[in-house]
Amino acid sequence: MRTLELLAPAKDLPCGIAAIDHGADAIYIGASRFGARAAAGNSIDDIKALANYAHVYGAKVYVTVNTIVYDEELDDTRHLLSQLADAQVDAVLVQDMAVMQMAREAGLTVHASTQTDNRTADKVRWISALGFKRVVLARELSVDEIAQIHAQVPQTELEVFVHGALCVSYSGLCYASQHCFGRSANRGECAQFCRMKFDVIDADGRAVAPARYYLSLKDLNQSQHLAELIEAGAVSFKIEGRLKDIGYVKNVTAAYSQQLDRYIALHPDQYRRASRGRSTYAFHPDLSKTFNRGYTTYFLHGRQQGIASLDTPKAMGEYVGNVKEISHNAFTVAGIASFSNGDGLCFINDRRELVGFRVNRVEGNRLYPLKMPDGLRPGLRLYRNNDQTMERLLSKPSAERKITIAMSLRAVADGFELQADEVTVHIEAPHQEAQKDPRENIIAQLTKLGGTPYECHKVALVPGFNYFIPSSLLAKMRRQAVALLQARAVDGVSTSKVPCLQGESAIVTPPKCHSYEHHPYLYNVANAKARQFYDDRSVKTAPAFETTEPSQALIMQCRHCLRFTLGHCVKHGGKAPQWREPLSLRLSDGRRFRLEFDCGQCQMNIYADE
């Protein structure tokens, strides 16, 4: 029996609670500092409150401490980790090897963030040998590559991203934001360099492709491919979005929870969910109605065209039809979608630019914009990136999660005992013969569980049970049982310290990597403790990019390839290019970034061109 976990993001406590209510088995959330989203920090009190709420359902809370840290921050990091251990979080996600060591010393379970660049079985094996319980794999891996890693390192839990925004660079190896804007992605301050517009020029300075968003990828959506990922060996399915709003969290979590439940229902003897309780919804989950730049399965089945959102880095939303007829203040739509006042619509105009506008009034398929947008013409494809009906549904309480329990009531020598699943409540009371059958009232009182995480599907009474018990006493027993169930769930979280590795197993040398040997700052070593970690393993490192930027630096490693996108990858059947390389990406302010095509690794490297 394998356990499957749906892992949802939370920017704050309300988002985390909503994710649990909508079916998440685990939550990942940032602490006040040192998370890879600097704008999504939370207090220890809120994290502890979320852990208490989640643990009632057997759900887990993971905290992101996955930035690199500087020497002067080590003491603060150690203190934070100690606080997280006291808050009974279930694991921390880390990138920095100094943080890993301090987390282990604090007795915390550690997961290797995708920022540690986990794309080979050798790397996952090494990470596992250091004491990481789980490894978050690179987003770029195919289902076959995931299966190969699982086959070679079967004892390590594998976590995979299934939904949300995609970084074009392998995570942890993107320094573009730091280079251009002094804002480090490895410090949680990414300025989204990859969402900018570039043109492509050759070695002679000649434009070989028009200005477009060549590094801006569509959003990931593996909702129809969970079965393949499960069968490949992944156990945790991660939704991106610690900066997303609560409506996004509700809708996406619900959609994936339903998909997981459907798969498990087909294989009930092989799989189960990692937490307890099932959610019911006041809306129909629909991923097309949530923020997205268009969807892609990325490299799930190998390299494919259409993974980039070349025309815009902004949300397009769902396709709702084509423009049919236009008048001076309105237009009609050919399609089956229904619209609401206030909907946000958009289209790509003839200059391949995104144009957005808001609908002021709706009359069937005739729409009256607040202002008629420029460039609208018959035949254009229309998209909705803000659905008012869905927004209204998600702004209200939209799900309820209940744990099903069974109860039994019996008479004992000095009173009665109520058993609710694994807890027992005893109460002293006289045995009074009932004047009429008491069963209906007993069942009605004991199953009044509204406002609690529980619902009762069965109350067992021994044959011949015929005692009168006041409703107030039954309610008291019910409340005590609920309190015991909740306390047992929260107290049942293991607080035992994770033992540190001893001896040779802790000094395993990491696998060699050509890129890391030529660019040793890729190890992201920003403090003395991390440097000592690698020195102990005879690994040559260099100061982190953020502390000493090298010249002619490699600032991105990507599986996404512009040669392929432009139709000139001979390896994959494209036409031989006529340009003279190296190619460069050029921003509107003239800054250039040299491209290197490493066809042996099927990889594109981007360099800061001085």
Side-chain angles (χ1 to χ4, degrees), residues 273-285:
R273 292 292 292 269
S275 62
R276 299 182 297 157
R278 288 294 172 263
S279 301
T280 55
Y281 307 106
F283 68 103
H284 175 68

Side-chain angles (χ1 to χ4, degrees), residues 375-438:
L376 191 70
R377 61 171 176 77
L380 283 177
R381 292 172 63 86
L382 200 62
Y383 298 85
R384 174 164 49 198
N385 54 16
N386 187 286
D387 186 316
Q388 283 296 295
T389 300
M390 190 68 156
E391 291 293 320
R392 282 192 291 269
L393 287 171
L394 294 176
S395 68
K396 303 172 184 177
S398 49
E400 185 176 57
R401 182 166 177 171
K402 294 293 185 180
I403 301 168
T404 301
I405 61 173
M407 295 184 183
S408 63
L409 181 66
R410 67 189 183 100
V412 294
D414 60 346
F416 300 93
E417 276 187 357
L418 173 66
Q419 184 168 352
D421 277 8
E422 67 270 30
V423 304
T424 302
V425 172
H426 173 267
I427 196 160
E428 294 183 5
H431 293 171
Q432 290 182 258
E433 287 291 324
Q435 299 300 311
K436 62 178 184 178
D437 189 345

Side-chain angles (χ1 to χ4, degrees), residues 30-90:
S32 55
R33 297 180 66 186
F34 311 121
R37 297 289 185 274
N42 293 274
S43 70
I44 293 295
D45 286 345
D46 278 358
I47 290 171
K48 183 175 179 60
L50 180 58
N52 287 339
Y53 188 84
H55 291 160
V56 169
Y57 296 94
K60 296 183 177 180
V61 172
Y62 309 137
V63 178
T64 56
V65 193
N66 56 341
T67 64
I68 57 174
V69 298
Y70 299 146
D71 282 309
E72 62 271 20
E73 297 169 331
L74 289 174
D75 287 343
D76 286 345
T77 307
R78 185 178 287 106
H79 179 63
L80 172 64
L81 293 167
S82 176
Q83 290 180 304
L84 293 174
D86 291 341
Q88 295 191 338
V89 303
D90 298 281

Side-chain angles (χ1 to χ4, degrees), residues 220-233:
L220 185 65
N221 182 345
Q222 307 289 26
S223 60
Q224 301 306 308
H225 301 279
L226 291 181
E228 295 169 79
L229 293 168
I230 292 167
E231 290 156 16

Side-chain angles (χ1 to χ4, degrees), residues 7-283:
L7 176 56
K11 69 176 180 180
D12 53 26
L13 177 59
C15 273
I17 290 173
I20 296 293
D21 289 345
H22 287 72
D25 299 299
I27 303 297
Y28 65 105
I29 189 170
S32 55
R33 297 180 66 186
F34 311 121
R37 297 289 185 274
N42 293 274
S43 70
I44 293 295
D45 286 345
D46 278 358
I47 290 171
K48 183 175 179 60
L50 180 58
N52 287 339
Y53 188 84
H55 291 160
V56 169
Y57 296 94
K60 296 183 177 180
V61 172
Y62 309 137
V63 178
T64 56
V65 193
N66 56 341
T67 64
I68 57 174
V69 298
Y70 299 146
D71 282 309
E72 62 271 20
E73 297 169 331
L74 289 174
D75 287 343
D76 286 345
T77 307
R78 185 178 287 106
H79 179 63
L80 172 64
L81 293 167
S82 176
Q83 290 180 304
L84 293 174
D86 291 341
Q88 295 191 338
V89 303
D90 298 281
V92 290
L93 287 90
V94 304
Q95 170 187 191
D96 193 311
M97 291 303 159
V99 180
M100 180 274 290
Q101 294 174 88
M102 292 188 291
R104 297 293 304 280
E105 291 163 6
L108 288 161
T109 297
V110 287
H111 294 176
S113 168
T114 190
Q115 299 290 116
T116 54
D117 184 24
N118 309 310
R119 45 177 145 154
T120 66
D122 285 343
K123 181 67 174 286
V124 172
R125 185 181 295 108
W126 177 68
I127 287 284
S128 181
L130 295 173
F132 285 90
K133 182 180 180 182
R134 177 183 294 181
V135 176
V136 187
L137 295 178
R139 294 169 173 89
E140 291 82 357
L141 297 185
S142 70
V143 69
D144 290 338
E145 289 169 319
I146 294 168
Q148 291 167 14
I149 290 172
H150 174 63
Q152 294 183 50
V153 199
Q155 77 281 6
T156 301
E157 294 181 3
L158 300 181
E159 181 178 304
V160 296
F161 279 90
V162 293
H163 197 89
L166 286 167
C167 300
V168 72
S169 175
Y170 282 102
S171 292
L173 305 185
C174 181
Y175 309 98
S177 179
Q178 174 67 33
H179 171 73
C180 291
F181 310 109
R183 292 173 52 181
S184 167
N186 284 318
R187 297 276 294 169
E189 299 174 336
C190 177
Q192 296 197 312
F193 171 88
C194 58
R195 305 298 179 189
M196 301 178 75
K197 182 181 278 191
F198 304 89
D199 55 11
V200 183
I201 59 174
D202 65 10
D204 300 316
R206 182 172 59 92
V208 300
R212 299 182 80 182
Y213 298 92
Y214 289 107
L215 300 182
S216 182
L217 301 181
K218 294 178 180 177
D219 286 1
L220 185 65
N221 182 345
Q222 307 289 26
S223 60
Q224 301 306 308
H225 301 279
L226 291 181
E228 295 169 79
L229 293 168
I230 292 167
E231 290 156 16
V235 296
S236 181
F237 308 94
K238 187 172 193 170
I239 300 165
E240 179 277 336
R242 281 197 297 122
L243 294 178
K244 296 293 200 306
D245 62 29
I246 196 168
Y248 171 95
V249 172
K250 288 179 175 184
N251 187 32
V252 179
T253 301
Y256 277 88
S257 184
Q258 288 183 338
Q259 289 291 87
L260 270 185
D261 284 344
R262 290 186 190 108
Y263 182 81
I264 290 172
L266 296 174
H267 308 86
D269 298 327
Q270 294 177 260
Y271 304 100
R272 65 180 178 87
R273 292 292 292 269
S275 62
R276 299 182 297 157
R278 288 294 172 263
S279 301
T280 55
Y281 307 106
F283 68 103

Side-chain angles (χ1 to χ4, degrees), residues 474-549:
L474 290 167
K476 181 179 180 180
M477 296 175 76
R478 181 192 70 233
R479 288 193 295 269
Q480 290 181 359
V482 166
L484 286 173
L485 284 168
Q486 291 180 294
R488 183 182 177 91
V490 174
D491 294 343
V493 177
S494 173
T495 57
S496 60
K497 289 201 169 188
V498 179
C500 289
L501 293 178
Q502 301 293 330
E504 290 300 315
S505 62
I507 310 296
V508 178
T509 301
K512 288 189 176 182
C513 176
H514 173 81
S515 296
Y516 283 67
E517 290 179 354
H518 283 76
H519 307 283
Y521 60 85
L522 297 180
Y523 285 102
N524 294 327
V525 174
N527 60 73
K529 189 174 180 68
R531 185 161 53 252
Q532 187 63 52
F533 170 89
Y534 286 106
D535 287 347
D536 289 344
R537 290 155 180 81
S538 302
V539 177
K540 178 187 174 183
T541 64
F545 188 99
E546 288 77 3
T547 60
T548 309
E549 180 174 338

